[in-house]
Amino acid sequence: MKIRVHATIANFGPGFDVFGVGIGEPYDELSFRESSEWEIRVKGHDVPADVRNTAVVAARALAEMAGEEVALRMKLRKGIRPRSGLGSSGASSLAGALAMARVLGVEDERLILRAAMEGERAASGSAHGDNVVPAYYGDFTILESYEPLRVRRIPVDFDVVAVLPAVEIPTSEARRVLPPKIPLKDAVRNIALASSLVLALKENDLKAVGRLLDDRIALPYRKRLMPWYDRARKAALEAGAYGFSVSGSGPAVFAVGGDVAQIGKAVAEAFEGFGIEVDVYVTKAGRG
Ligand code: HSE
């Protein structure tokens, strides 16, 4: 049996730890079968090929939650680069949880997503759901609450370009730079951005979506890990993007609107100016 899980753009501008959307490319593929012991082989990007792999962590978590003693033999084709900001650990986690769900006949979505979040906890120290939830549904997703797990969804379908520079920023590090408190005016601005963005998506107003892709919770503090951010954003906007932001905790960035292939080229050139190579994914939002 085989499962494909797509990359995701978590946060999607102002929705820190709340918003996310599935995108068409890149993706992970997991083949699996029931076995007497745990085994995982990995092709593609370099991730642990043992029980530390988030696919194994999440699959084990689901077996434990279901009170079953089952192991899996897995083959992971790792298409999403780890520590990229494109939901790499979340995709493998969800693939592992879905594989175990298939083997055990588990259909409870919340249980599957909870198990996948355990993979996230193992990878970054935080069991955030804004990658595994949009990876599961594909839609634009809003995590209304974690406990109990409540998700709201808006089906979307628009062009997006994700640009992944050849640098790594582990989510754990990108979370360490965040302050415990933020100024009230930033919180107010983020509420305005996030609430307006949800309406803009619902109304399919991509120009407004682009304009609202800002963030005052994480981005101001994370920019110091991404010295190229402002230059890349300027290049995207000059090439006609409606908006630009960081994907998840970075370093990947994304843009919407206009000719996304052309925008991807412009952003890639901006990175070249810093001597950084990139992978460019011209793809669709609303896939999972
Ligand atoms: N919401 C998480 C963060 C996403 O920004 O830390 C990590 O991909």
mmCIF file of all heavy atoms in Angstrom, residues 145-184:
data_model
loop_
_atom_site.group_PDB
_atom_site.id
_atom_site.type_symbol
_atom_site.label_atom_id
_atom_site.label_comp_id
_atom_site.label_asym_id
_atom_site.label_seq_id
_atom_site.Cartn_x
_atom_site.Cartn_y
_atom_site.Cartn_z
ATOM 1 N N SER A 145 -9.256 24.985 17.630
ATOM 2 C CA SER A 145 -8.721 24.642 18.958
ATOM 3 C C SER A 145 -7.967 23.322 18.870
ATOM 4 O O SER A 145 -8.238 22.494 17.994
ATOM 5 C CB SER A 145 -9.827 24.564 20.006
ATOM 6 O OG SER A 145 -10.538 23.358 19.883
ATOM 7 N N TYR A 146 -7.010 23.189 19.755
ATOM 8 C CA TYR A 146 -6.238 21.951 19.807
ATOM 9 C C TYR A 146 -6.922 20.933 20.725
ATOM 10 O O TYR A 146 -6.856 19.749 20.510
ATOM 11 C CB TYR A 146 -4.826 22.233 20.347
ATOM 12 C CG TYR A 146 -3.858 22.699 19.281
ATOM 13 C CD1 TYR A 146 -3.893 24.005 18.800
ATOM 14 C CD2 TYR A 146 -2.910 21.839 18.746
ATOM 15 C CE1 TYR A 146 -3.010 24.434 17.825
ATOM 16 C CE2 TYR A 146 -2.021 22.257 17.776
ATOM 17 C CZ TYR A 146 -2.076 23.552 17.317
ATOM 18 O OH TYR A 146 -1.206 23.972 16.347
ATOM 19 N N GLU A 147 -7.526 21.440 21.813
ATOM 20 C CA GLU A 147 -8.089 20.563 22.838
ATOM 21 C C GLU A 147 -9.487 21.018 23.178
ATOM 22 O O GLU A 147 -9.626 21.999 23.915
ATOM 23 C CB GLU A 147 -7.172 20.625 24.077
ATOM 24 C CG GLU A 147 -7.215 19.440 25.005
ATOM 25 C CD GLU A 147 -6.813 18.115 24.346
ATOM 26 O OE1 GLU A 147 -5.634 17.914 24.031
ATOM 27 O OE2 GLU A 147 -7.730 17.314 24.169
ATOM 28 N N PRO A 148 -10.546 20.465 22.596
ATOM 29 C CA PRO A 148 -10.553 19.368 21.625
ATOM 30 C C PRO A 148 -10.097 19.867 20.248
ATOM 31 O O PRO A 148 -10.199 21.065 19.966
ATOM 32 C CB PRO A 148 -12.033 18.954 21.586
ATOM 33 C CG PRO A 148 -12.783 20.207 21.912
ATOM 34 C CD PRO A 148 -11.909 20.953 22.881
ATOM 35 N N LEU A 149 -9.651 18.946 19.419
ATOM 36 C CA LEU A 149 -9.167 19.316 18.092
ATOM 37 C C LEU A 149 -10.353 19.723 17.208
ATOM 38 O O LEU A 149 -11.231 18.900 16.909
ATOM 39 C CB LEU A 149 -8.410 18.138 17.463
ATOM 40 C CG LEU A 149 -7.719 18.451 16.140
ATOM 41 C CD1 LEU A 149 -6.634 19.494 16.314
ATOM 42 C CD2 LEU A 149 -7.144 17.189 15.529
ATOM 43 N N ARG A 150 -10.402 21.014 16.866
ATOM 44 C CA ARG A 150 -11.481 21.512 15.993
ATOM 45 C C ARG A 150 -10.853 22.243 14.823
ATOM 46 O O ARG A 150 -9.991 23.106 15.017
ATOM 47 C CB ARG A 150 -12.379 22.491 16.743
ATOM 48 C CG ARG A 150 -13.319 21.816 17.687
ATOM 49 C CD ARG A 150 -14.617 22.619 17.842
ATOM 50 N NE ARG A 150 -15.499 21.896 18.728
ATOM 51 C CZ ARG A 150 -15.610 22.146 20.037
ATOM 52 N NH1 ARG A 150 -14.922 23.125 20.583
ATOM 53 N NH2 ARG A 150 -16.413 21.432 20.780
ATOM 54 N N VAL A 151 -11.278 21.875 13.618
ATOM 55 C CA VAL A 151 -10.679 22.433 12.402
ATOM 56 C C VAL A 151 -11.768 23.059 11.542
ATOM 57 O O VAL A 151 -12.847 22.484 11.386
ATOM 58 C CB VAL A 151 -9.976 21.305 11.592
ATOM 59 C CG1 VAL A 151 -9.425 21.847 10.279
ATOM 60 C CG2 VAL A 151 -8.875 20.651 12.405
ATOM 61 N N ARG A 152 -11.501 24.240 10.994
ATOM 62 C CA ARG A 152 -12.394 24.840 9.996
ATOM 63 C C ARG A 152 -11.651 24.864 8.660
ATOM 64 O O ARG A 152 -10.428 25.016 8.651
ATOM 65 C CB ARG A 152 -12.788 26.255 10.410
ATOM 66 C CG ARG A 152 -13.633 26.241 11.652
ATOM 67 C CD ARG A 152 -14.148 27.600 12.024
ATOM 68 N NE ARG A 152 -14.977 27.467 13.195
ATOM 69 C CZ ARG A 152 -16.294 27.264 13.157
ATOM 70 N NH1 ARG A 152 -16.914 27.194 11.998
ATOM 71 N NH2 ARG A 152 -16.985 27.141 14.270
ATOM 72 N N ARG A 153 -12.412 24.708 7.589
ATOM 73 C CA ARG A 153 -11.750 24.570 6.282
ATOM 74 C C ARG A 153 -12.390 25.470 5.236
ATOM 75 O O ARG A 153 -13.596 25.631 5.217
ATOM 76 C CB ARG A 153 -11.882 23.118 5.798
ATOM 77 C CG ARG A 153 -11.132 22.156 6.655
ATOM 78 C CD ARG A 153 -11.792 20.794 6.674
ATOM 79 N NE ARG A 153 -11.941 20.239 5.341
ATOM 80 C CZ ARG A 153 -12.580 19.105 5.083
ATOM 81 N NH1 ARG A 153 -13.119 18.416 6.051
ATOM 82 N NH2 ARG A 153 -12.677 18.664 3.862
ATOM 83 N N ILE A 154 -11.547 26.004 4.363
ATOM 84 C CA ILE A 154 -12.044 26.729 3.186
ATOM 85 C C ILE A 154 -11.394 26.065 1.965
ATOM 86 O O ILE A 154 -10.165 26.074 1.853
ATOM 87 C CB ILE A 154 -11.654 28.224 3.216
ATOM 88 C CG1 ILE A 154 -12.166 28.905 4.494
ATOM 89 C CG2 ILE A 154 -12.200 28.938 1.981
ATOM 90 C CD1 ILE A 154 -11.774 30.375 4.608
ATOM 91 N N PRO A 155 -12.190 25.479 1.082
ATOM 92 C CA PRO A 155 -11.597 24.922 -0.142
ATOM 93 C C PRO A 155 -11.003 26.060 -0.969
ATOM 94 O O PRO A 155 -11.661 27.097 -1.135
ATOM 95 C CB PRO A 155 -12.780 24.282 -0.877
ATOM 96 C CG PRO A 155 -13.907 24.281 0.088
ATOM 97 C CD PRO A 155 -13.651 25.354 1.099
ATOM 98 N N VAL A 156 -9.779 25.908 -1.425
ATOM 99 C CA VAL A 156 -9.143 26.956 -2.237
ATOM 100 C C VAL A 156 -8.499 26.322 -3.466
ATOM 101 O O VAL A 156 -8.250 25.103 -3.482
ATOM 102 C CB VAL A 156 -8.060 27.741 -1.436
ATOM 103 C CG1 VAL A 156 -8.676 28.555 -0.316
ATOM 104 C CG2 VAL A 156 -6.980 26.812 -0.889
ATOM 105 N N ASP A 157 -8.240 27.126 -4.449
ATOM 106 C CA ASP A 157 -7.581 26.632 -5.666
ATOM 107 C C ASP A 157 -6.953 27.840 -6.362
ATOM 108 O O ASP A 157 -7.633 28.562 -7.078
ATOM 109 C CB ASP A 157 -8.621 25.955 -6.581
ATOM 110 C CG ASP A 157 -7.966 25.285 -7.773
ATOM 111 O OD1 ASP A 157 -6.720 25.254 -7.837
ATOM 112 O OD2 ASP A 157 -8.702 24.795 -8.648
ATOM 113 N N PHE A 158 -5.688 28.104 -6.060
ATOM 114 C CA PHE A 158 -5.016 29.221 -6.732
ATOM 115 C C PHE A 158 -3.542 28.885 -6.926
ATOM 116 O O PHE A 158 -3.000 27.991 -6.251
ATOM 117 C CB PHE A 158 -5.204 30.541 -5.971
ATOM 118 C CG PHE A 158 -4.803 30.503 -4.506
ATOM 119 C CD1 PHE A 158 -3.489 30.665 -4.113
ATOM 120 C CD2 PHE A 158 -5.769 30.318 -3.520
ATOM 121 C CE1 PHE A 158 -3.128 30.645 -2.772
ATOM 122 C CE2 PHE A 158 -5.418 30.287 -2.178
ATOM 123 C CZ PHE A 158 -4.101 30.450 -1.799
ATOM 124 N N ASP A 159 -2.923 29.603 -7.856
ATOM 125 C CA ASP A 159 -1.505 29.365 -8.140
ATOM 126 C C ASP A 159 -0.643 29.909 -7.010
ATOM 127 O O ASP A 159 -0.956 30.948 -6.420
ATOM 128 C CB ASP A 159 -1.087 30.088 -9.428
ATOM 129 C CG ASP A 159 -1.746 29.485 -10.650
ATOM 130 O OD1 ASP A 159 -2.105 28.294 -10.604
ATOM 131 O OD2 ASP A 159 -1.907 30.214 -11.648
ATOM 132 N N VAL A 160 0.423 29.204 -6.767
ATOM 133 C CA VAL A 160 1.358 29.658 -5.735
ATOM 134 C C VAL A 160 2.761 29.233 -6.169
ATOM 135 O O VAL A 160 2.921 28.231 -6.878
ATOM 136 C CB VAL A 160 0.973 29.048 -4.362
ATOM 137 C CG1 VAL A 160 1.074 27.537 -4.342
ATOM 138 C CG2 VAL A 160 1.786 29.612 -3.214
ATOM 139 N N VAL A 161 3.754 30.025 -5.798
ATOM 140 C CA VAL A 161 5.134 29.586 -6.029
ATOM 141 C C VAL A 161 5.835 29.534 -4.671
ATOM 142 O O VAL A 161 5.730 30.458 -3.867
ATOM 143 C CB VAL A 161 5.879 30.486 -7.041
ATOM 144 C CG1 VAL A 161 5.965 31.932 -6.594
ATOM 145 C CG2 VAL A 161 7.285 29.942 -7.306
ATOM 146 N N ALA A 162 6.472 28.392 -4.433
ATOM 147 C CA ALA A 162 7.252 28.228 -3.205
ATOM 148 C C ALA A 162 8.718 28.170 -3.604
ATOM 149 O O ALA A 162 9.087 27.452 -4.538
ATOM 150 C CB ALA A 162 6.851 26.947 -2.483
ATOM 151 N N VAL A 163 9.532 28.954 -2.940
ATOM 152 C CA VAL A 163 10.966 28.996 -3.262
ATOM 153 C C VAL A 163 11.733 28.554 -2.021
ATOM 154 O O VAL A 163 11.573 29.121 -0.935
ATOM 155 C CB VAL A 163 11.391 30.415 -3.690
ATOM 156 C CG1 VAL A 163 12.887 30.439 -4.018
ATOM 157 C CG2 VAL A 163 10.578 30.876 -4.897
ATOM 158 N N LEU A 164 12.545 27.527 -2.230
ATOM 159 C CA LEU A 164 13.239 26.905 -1.105
ATOM 160 C C LEU A 164 14.748 27.114 -1.232
ATOM 161 O O LEU A 164 15.396 26.502 -2.080
ATOM 162 C CB LEU A 164 12.906 25.403 -1.101
ATOM 163 C CG LEU A 164 13.629 24.528 -0.100
ATOM 164 C CD1 LEU A 164 13.487 25.064 1.298
ATOM 165 C CD2 LEU A 164 13.062 23.114 -0.181
ATOM 166 N N PRO A 165 15.304 28.022 -0.423
ATOM 167 C CA PRO A 165 16.755 28.231 -0.499
ATOM 168 C C PRO A 165 17.527 27.077 0.125
ATOM 169 O O PRO A 165 17.015 26.382 1.009
ATOM 170 C CB PRO A 165 16.960 29.521 0.306
ATOM 171 C CG PRO A 165 15.804 29.597 1.233
ATOM 172 C CD PRO A 165 14.656 28.890 0.570
ATOM 173 N N ALA A 166 18.749 26.892 -0.341
ATOM 174 C CA ALA A 166 19.582 25.770 0.146
ATOM 175 C C ALA A 166 20.229 26.124 1.484
ATOM 176 O O ALA A 166 21.448 26.108 1.627
ATOM 177 C CB ALA A 166 20.639 25.426 -0.900
ATOM 178 N N VAL A 167 19.400 26.513 2.429
ATOM 179 C CA VAL A 167 19.862 26.708 3.815
ATOM 180 C C VAL A 167 18.831 26.022 4.705
ATOM 181 O O VAL A 167 17.691 25.828 4.289
ATOM 182 C CB VAL A 167 19.973 28.208 4.209
ATOM 183 C CG1 VAL A 167 21.111 28.889 3.516
ATOM 184 C CG2 VAL A 167 18.674 28.962 3.926
ATOM 185 N N GLU A 168 19.242 25.664 5.902
ATOM 186 C CA GLU A 168 18.316 24.968 6.792
ATOM 187 C C GLU A 168 18.019 25.819 8.012
ATOM 188 O O GLU A 168 18.927 26.429 8.581
ATOM 189 C CB GLU A 168 18.925 23.639 7.251
ATOM 190 C CG GLU A 168 18.969 22.597 6.163
ATOM 191 C CD GLU A 168 19.434 21.242 6.676
ATOM 192 O OE1 GLU A 168 19.847 21.157 7.854
ATOM 193 O OE2 GLU A 168 19.373 20.290 5.893
ATOM 194 N N ILE A 169 16.754 25.877 8.389
ATOM 195 C CA ILE A 169 16.391 26.509 9.666
ATOM 196 C C ILE A 169 15.497 25.513 10.401
ATOM 197 O O ILE A 169 14.322 25.350 10.044
ATOM 198 C CB ILE A 169 15.630 27.842 9.467
ATOM 199 C CG1 ILE A 169 16.490 28.840 8.672
ATOM 200 C CG2 ILE A 169 15.243 28.440 10.823
ATOM 201 C CD1 ILE A 169 15.819 30.181 8.421
ATOM 202 N N PRO A 170 16.030 24.820 11.407
ATOM 203 C CA PRO A 170 15.173 23.883 12.142
ATOM 204 C C PRO A 170 14.036 24.642 12.839
ATOM 205 O O PRO A 170 14.257 25.749 13.357
ATOM 206 C CB PRO A 170 16.106 23.251 13.178
ATOM 207 C CG PRO A 170 17.497 23.590 12.745
ATOM 208 C CD PRO A 170 17.403 24.840 11.929
ATOM 209 N N THR A 171 12.834 24.071 12.816
ATOM 210 C CA THR A 171 11.690 24.726 13.465
ATOM 211 C C THR A 171 12.002 25.026 14.923
ATOM 212 O O THR A 171 11.625 26.078 15.457
ATOM 213 C CB THR A 171 10.445 23.823 13.360
ATOM 214 O OG1 THR A 171 10.174 23.620 11.979
ATOM 215 C CG2 THR A 171 9.221 24.457 13.998
ATOM 216 N N SER A 172 12.710 24.088 15.570
ATOM 217 C CA SER A 172 13.023 24.294 16.999
ATOM 218 C C SER A 172 13.801 25.609 17.179
ATOM 219 O O SER A 172 13.531 26.381 18.095
ATOM 220 C CB SER A 172 13.817 23.108 17.548
ATOM 221 O OG SER A 172 14.917 22.846 16.714
ATOM 222 N N GLU A 173 14.743 25.892 16.266
ATOM 223 C CA GLU A 173 15.524 27.133 16.377
ATOM 224 C C GLU A 173 14.635 28.351 16.070
ATOM 225 O O GLU A 173 14.702 29.377 16.761
ATOM 226 C CB GLU A 173 16.699 27.080 15.393
ATOM 227 C CG GLU A 173 17.679 28.213 15.612
ATOM 228 C CD GLU A 173 18.787 28.221 14.568
ATOM 229 O OE1 GLU A 173 19.058 27.176 13.958
ATOM 230 O OE2 GLU A 173 19.356 29.304 14.361
ATOM 231 N N ALA A 174 13.790 28.211 15.044
ATOM 232 C CA ALA A 174 12.911 29.328 14.679
ATOM 233 C C ALA A 174 11.896 29.619 15.779
ATOM 234 O O ALA A 174 11.344 30.717 15.852
ATOM 235 C CB ALA A 174 12.189 29.007 13.370
ATOM 236 N N ARG A 175 11.624 28.664 16.635
ATOM 237 C CA ARG A 175 10.703 28.896 17.754
ATOM 238 C C ARG A 175 11.438 29.478 18.957
ATOM 239 O O ARG A 175 10.856 30.208 19.743
ATOM 240 C CB ARG A 175 9.971 27.597 18.132
ATOM 241 C CG ARG A 175 9.036 27.117 17.039
ATOM 242 C CD ARG A 175 8.230 25.909 17.446
ATOM 243 N NE ARG A 175 7.050 26.241 18.195
ATOM 244 C CZ ARG A 175 5.856 26.543 17.669
ATOM 245 N NH1 ARG A 175 5.682 26.553 16.373
ATOM 246 N NH2 ARG A 175 4.829 26.835 18.444
ATOM 247 N N ARG A 176 12.712 29.146 19.048
ATOM 248 C CA ARG A 176 13.503 29.669 20.183
ATOM 249 C C ARG A 176 13.650 31.188 20.124
ATOM 250 O O ARG A 176 13.743 31.834 21.165
ATOM 251 C CB ARG A 176 14.906 29.032 20.186
ATOM 252 C CG ARG A 176 15.105 28.031 21.315
ATOM 253 C CD ARG A 176 16.567 27.726 21.572
ATOM 254 N NE ARG A 176 17.323 27.378 20.390
ATOM 255 C CZ ARG A 176 17.406 26.147 19.884
ATOM 256 N NH1 ARG A 176 16.778 25.157 20.457
ATOM 257 N NH2 ARG A 176 18.124 25.919 18.813
ATOM 258 N N VAL A 177 13.645 31.757 18.913
ATOM 259 C CA VAL A 177 13.861 33.208 18.806
ATOM 260 C C VAL A 177 12.587 34.015 19.099
ATOM 261 O O VAL A 177 12.614 35.249 19.111
ATOM 262 C CB VAL A 177 14.409 33.620 17.401
ATOM 263 C CG1 VAL A 177 15.726 32.933 17.108
ATOM 264 C CG2 VAL A 177 13.395 33.323 16.297
ATOM 265 N N LEU A 178 11.469 33.326 19.318
ATOM 266 C CA LEU A 178 10.211 34.043 19.548
ATOM 267 C C LEU A 178 10.121 34.522 20.996
ATOM 268 O O LEU A 178 10.477 33.782 21.915
ATOM 269 C CB LEU A 178 9.013 33.130 19.239
ATOM 270 C CG LEU A 178 8.969 32.578 17.819
ATOM 271 C CD1 LEU A 178 7.750 31.686 17.639
ATOM 272 C CD2 LEU A 178 8.950 33.703 16.797
ATOM 273 N N PRO A 179 9.625 35.748 21.200
ATOM 274 C CA PRO A 179 9.513 36.248 22.576
ATOM 275 C C PRO A 179 8.271 35.665 23.260
ATOM 276 O O PRO A 179 7.316 35.284 22.586
ATOM 277 C CB PRO A 179 9.334 37.760 22.364
ATOM 278 C CG PRO A 179 8.660 37.860 21.040
ATOM 279 C CD PRO A 179 9.138 36.709 20.200
ATOM 280 N N PRO A 180 8.256 35.608 24.601
ATOM 281 C CA PRO A 180 7.070 35.080 25.295
ATOM 282 C C PRO A 180 5.871 36.026 25.194
ATOM 283 O O PRO A 180 4.728 35.601 25.304
ATOM 284 C CB PRO A 180 7.537 34.930 26.745
ATOM 285 C CG PRO A 180 8.742 35.793 26.873
ATOM 286 C CD PRO A 180 9.353 35.956 25.516
ATOM 287 N N LYS A 181 6.133 37.330 24.959
ATOM 288 C CA LYS A 181 5.040 38.303 24.842
ATOM 289 C C LYS A 181 5.289 39.174 23.615
ATOM 290 O O LYS A 181 6.433 39.422 23.260
ATOM 291 C CB LYS A 181 5.008 39.208 26.069
ATOM 292 C CG LYS A 181 4.625 38.482 27.334
ATOM 293 C CD LYS A 181 4.555 39.433 28.493
ATOM 294 C CE LYS A 181 4.167 38.656 29.742
ATOM 295 N NZ LYS A 181 4.202 39.463 30.949
ATOM 296 N N ILE A 182 4.185 39.661 23.009
ATOM 297 C CA ILE A 182 4.351 40.592 21.888
ATOM 298 C C ILE A 182 3.586 41.878 22.203
ATOM 299 O O ILE A 182 2.621 41.852 22.973
ATOM 300 C CB ILE A 182 3.878 39.999 20.542
ATOM 301 C CG1 ILE A 182 2.390 39.609 20.607
ATOM 302 C CG2 ILE A 182 4.718 38.810 20.124
ATOM 303 C CD1 ILE A 182 1.773 39.419 19.245
ATOM 304 N N PRO A 183 4.000 43.007 21.608
ATOM 305 C CA PRO A 183 3.314 44.272 21.881
ATOM 306 C C PRO A 183 1.837 44.210 21.482
ATOM 307 O O PRO A 183 1.481 43.574 20.482
ATOM 308 C CB PRO A 183 4.072 45.274 21.013
ATOM 309 C CG PRO A 183 5.396 44.651 20.748
ATOM 310 C CD PRO A 183 5.171 43.169 20.728
ATOM 311 N N LEU A 184 1.007 44.898 22.257
ATOM 312 C CA LEU A 184 -0.444 44.904 22.013
ATOM 313 C C LEU A 184 -0.775 45.355 20.587
ATOM 314 O O LEU A 184 -1.626 44.774 19.922
ATOM 315 C CB LEU A 184 -1.103 45.828 23.044
ATOM 316 C CG LEU A 184 -2.627 45.894 22.990
ATOM 317 C CD1 LEU A 184 -3.243 44.534 23.291
ATOM 318 C CD2 LEU A 184 -3.148 46.927 23.981
#
